[in-house]
Amino acid sequence: MKWPEVTEEKHPWTSRIPDDLVSRSVRERHAGPYRSAVTPAIAHIEIELPSRTLALADEASTEIVRFDAELGTDVAPFAAILLRSESASSSRIENLTSSARAIALAELGNDNRQNAAEIVSNVHAMKAAIELSDRIDESAILAMHSALLIDHQPEIVGRWRDQQGWIGGNDYGPHQAAFVPPHQDRVPAAMADLIEFAQRDDIPVLVHAALIHAQFETVHPFPDGNGRTGRALIHAILRRRGLTRNVTIPVSAGLLTDTNGYFDALTAYRSGEPEVIVTLMAEATFTAITNGRLLVRDLKGARERWSEKIEARRDAVIWRIMDLLLRQPVVDTALVERELDVTPANAGRALLQLTSAGVTKEFSDKKRNRMWQAPEVLSALDEFAARAGRRG
């Protein structure tokens, strides 16, 4: 069976922006009814894809399992760092960018930069997606979205959208938008169908994740945060179906190398060509894992260099702080005390020793609330982000 195309239906339009606030030409361009998408039901559809697409997805799935297993013994620091990196890459697709240092500061609650704070919220959404992966239902998806936006747009969380949204065009109306998702009255049924589709276990895992993601982005069930929630949903599916067990594969870092291709693949999906998004997801997986391996290599190299600089008992707290710095490259004494259950004096002495050895650098001039950063870790994370943003 050929994958069904998205169809359209007409609706009357009245802008929420008063006419006297816009020009006549704008009003004229948005006069009359508009067309919104009608998503086909896919819950019980038979999946038919080209053999080359299925083979590529199978190869990518094998690579995911291999990478996940590689880090099985080192999961503690790298699971956190890969999760943060994936969250930052997913946010970057939405043009939310920030340095690794700013993100780390935002996690400590010591930075007021909006982009970094929103990226940290995306980390929370990714965590929620993985923690809730045993049940992909309405409450789980709403919880992922809430984790993303509860601190920034609390008024829109906890429910599907109740107004028409659109992508592209302008704020006055949907007539010139690049895509107009389903009318709000169709969203509950469309999401119920998608959730039923997500419960299936007869579809290859990466294919399943790609199709769920594309259908989610087509329904566009929220006023904001659809892209980031939809990419978090990918990881919920990978974890639920057992393809990942230890770490978050930075798929969004792979998608970042060709964002135009990503959006084109979603358009192709809506035209009845699902193999395009499946192929792109598989190719993004290869790119992401290569980038992830480079990041892990850089972090392990930094940890080895630190060990060569330090002379201390094997049970000394300084070794545990070095492990902490791999997943949290900006720390203060309160964080070290809380994470490692050590006294303020022991935390302070170890941080001073690490600074003397060149492992950390104190960057606050305050006598209180002093903070330290691990420059090598921050550099590795920024290099990961730079690789994710370029092709070739």
Side-chain angles (χ1 to χ4, degrees), residues 132-312:
L132 296 166
S133 61
D134 60 327
R135 53 177 184 86
I136 306 299
D137 55 18
E138 178 176 326
S139 62
I141 295 173
L142 290 174
M144 296 174 204
H145 183 252
S146 179
L148 174 68
L149 290 178
I150 190 65
D151 291 333
H152 308 288
Q153 294 177 272
E155 70 280 2
I156 68 170
V157 305
R159 62 186 184 278
W160 308 130
R161 60 179 166 86
D162 57 7
Q163 295 180 344
Q164 181 65 66
W166 58 90
I167 301 170
N170 59 50
D171 292 340
Y172 187 76
H175 295 74
Q176 296 178 311
F179 176 67
V180 183
H183 187 271
Q184 58 268 24
D185 291 346
R186 288 188 174 272
V187 170
M191 288 305 299
D193 176 76
L194 174 57
I195 289 166
E196 188 174 355
F197 179 71
Q199 304 303 322
R200 290 173 58 173
D201 58 8
D202 63 331
I203 306 169
V205 181
L206 196 62
V207 172
H208 201 194
L211 296 178
I212 290 169
H213 174 68
Q215 184 77 352
F216 180 91
E217 298 307 326
T218 300
V219 177
H220 231 65
F222 300 115
D224 194 15
N226 292 283
R228 286 167 288 170
T229 304
R231 287 184 289 276
L233 190 57
I234 293 171
H235 297 288
I237 297 301
L238 296 181
R239 187 60 61 93
R240 177 181 178 272
R241 296 287 307 275
L243 207 59
T244 59
R245 299 180 184 278
N246 300 309
V247 297
T248 304
I249 306 300
V251 176
S252 296
L255 296 173
L256 256 176
T257 61
D258 185 11
T259 52
N260 288 334
Y262 170 49
F263 296 129
D264 289 345
L266 292 174
T267 299
Y269 171 85
R270 294 161 189 155
S271 300
E273 301 175 44
E275 64 273 13
V276 182
I277 189 65
V278 174
T279 298
L280 183 72
M281 195 75 72
E283 291 174 343
T285 296
F286 295 127
T287 302
I289 289 176
T290 298
N291 199 1
R293 283 189 173 120
L294 288 170
L295 174 61
V296 171
R297 182 202 65 184
D298 290 345
L299 294 175
K300 284 184 174 181
R303 181 64 174 81
E304 290 171 1
R305 288 189 292 275
W306 298 348
S307 296
E308 294 171 357
K309 297 177 180 179
I310 299 299
E311 294 183 3

Side-chain angles (χ1 to χ4, degrees), residues 70-113:
E70 286 172 9
L71 297 182
T73 57
D74 294 320
V75 68
F78 298 126
I81 212 75
L82 286 168
L83 177 68
R84 187 187 298 115
S85 299
E86 168 63 357
S87 301
S89 296
S90 180
S91 298
R92 193 172 171 189
I93 291 174
E94 308 297 328
N95 294 316
L96 289 169
T97 61
S98 193
S99 68
R101 181 175 181 271
I103 295 169
L105 279 168
E107 287 191 312
L108 288 176
N110 285 294
D111 193 86
N112 58 3
R113 298 178 188 177

